[in-house]
Amino acid sequence: AQTIHQWPVAEIKAVGSPLSLGCTIKGKSSPNLYWYWQATGGTLQQLFYSITVGQVESVVQLNLSASRPKDDQFILSTEKLLLSHSGFYLCAWSPDWGNYAEQFFGPGTRLTVL
Amino acid sequence: GDSVTQTEGLVTLTEGLPVMLNCTYQTIYSNPFLFWYVQHLNESPRLLLKSFTDNKRTEHQGFHATLHKSSSSFHLQKSSAQLSDSALYYCALSDQGGRALIFGTGTTVSVSP
């Protein structure tokens, strides 16, 4: 069975500080990977997607960047946090490429920027 | 560009009553793929049901939805709400490349005894 793990579970960071969030998928080779941001009480906004190692495409940047250093790992980062970065960050994966593929979400990381 | 509209931000109802959540979409493509995701409190979203077939009813866990291309709608319904249905429901549209899901703003459902 596939499992998806995100770290850390929660972070409290200062404005202007760097950030790195991670996501690992186990039990599935070459998954399609996605990063989402969910503002408190807000909608889900897809940020990035990746179909293979080293290849990341931006949907909406929000002054964030993403990388896929390994087949099972997806990293979201920024060098300088803004207040507007606060929210819930979700990593997701799908087994197939295509319009009808279901996405499976990880447990998420709650980020508070002060 | 593609978009999804959910008109109700909050739906409150009593257990046993029917539920209907509205979802309409805009896309230039003739074969849209629509999804309903549900997110319970302190959990991650998970797929509830999906469809790409026009006028065909899709059912899962007591919920059902029918994609109507003529009205660009994919409303979610349940005949009898349960307390455990209290959650945030998102309607989503897949872009034609399958690379992005476009989510609506979500509808919070609160079911009381």
Side-chain angles (χ1 to χ4, degrees), chain B:
Chain B
D2 296 343
S3 65
V4 175
T5 300
Q6 293 181 250
T7 52
E8 307 100 352
L10 173 65
V11 171
T12 58
L13 67 155
T14 304
E15 190 177 18
L17 291 181
V19 182
M20 180 162 136
L21 307 184
N22 290 315
C23 172
T24 56
Y25 62 89
Q26 279 191 315
T27 179
I28 63 172
Y29 299 105
S30 56
N31 294 309
F33 295 78
L34 275 295
F35 304 78
W36 275 102
Y37 279 81
V38 58
Q39 184 177 20
H40 286 91
L41 191 62
N42 297 322
E43 294 182 7
S44 301
R46 62 172 175 83
L47 182 69
L48 183 57
L49 45 80
K50 62 182 181 181
S51 179
F52 65 94
T53 306
D54 197 15
N55 298 318
K56 182 181 177 181
R57 177 171 160 142
T58 300
E59 297 191 42
H60 186 60
Q61 296 184 334
F63 288 90
H64 63 93
T66 303
L67 176 60
H68 292 296
K69 293 183 183 179
S70 60
S71 58
S72 299
S73 66
F74 191 56
H75 306 319
L76 183 68
Q77 299 183 66
K78 189 175 185 183
S79 58
S80 176
Q82 299 175 290
L83 294 176
S84 57
D85 293 330
S86 294
L88 179 55
Y89 292 80
Y90 287 106
C91 184
L93 168 71
S94 176
D95 77 340
Q96 287 302 293
R99 286 154 173 76
L101 274 180
I102 297 104
F103 284 84
T105 50
T107 298
T108 298
V109 173
S110 177
V111 182
S112 56

Side-chain angles (χ1 to χ4, degrees), chain A:
Chain A
Q2 298 85 11
T3 58
I4 179 169
H5 174 62
Q6 287 188 244
W7 72 92
V9 173
E11 278 265 48
I12 299 175
K13 302 278 280 186
V15 169
S17 63
L19 174 76
S20 181
L21 303 181
C23 171
T24 299
I25 290 72
K26 296 299 181 188
K28 173 63 183 174
S29 62
S30 304
N32 302 308
L33 298 175
Y34 311 85
W35 275 113
Y36 285 87
W37 173 69
Q38 184 179 36
T40 303
T43 193
L44 284 165
Q45 173 66 64
Q46 187 167 334
L47 301 174
F48 300 94
Y49 67 88
S50 171
I51 62 172
T52 191
V53 175
Q55 202 170 22
V56 177
E57 300 295 333
S58 170
V59 178
V60 174
Q61 280 195 324
L62 299 181
N63 293 307
L64 297 165
S65 60
S67 64
R68 186 169 177 177
K70 300 179 187 177
D71 185 54
D72 63 352
Q73 196 173 80
F74 207 18
I75 306 296
L76 184 69
S77 60
T78 182
E79 292 186 3
K80 198 178 267 192
L81 278 166
L82 307 172
L83 284 175
S84 56
H85 285 135
S86 291
F88 196 44
Y89 288 85
L90 289 153
C91 180
W93 71 275
S94 67
D96 303 299
W97 197 247
N99 309 75
Y100 211 45
E102 175 180 352
Q103 292 188 19
F104 299 88
F105 287 84
T109 295
R110 192 159 299 281
L111 174 67
T112 303
V113 182
L114 302 173

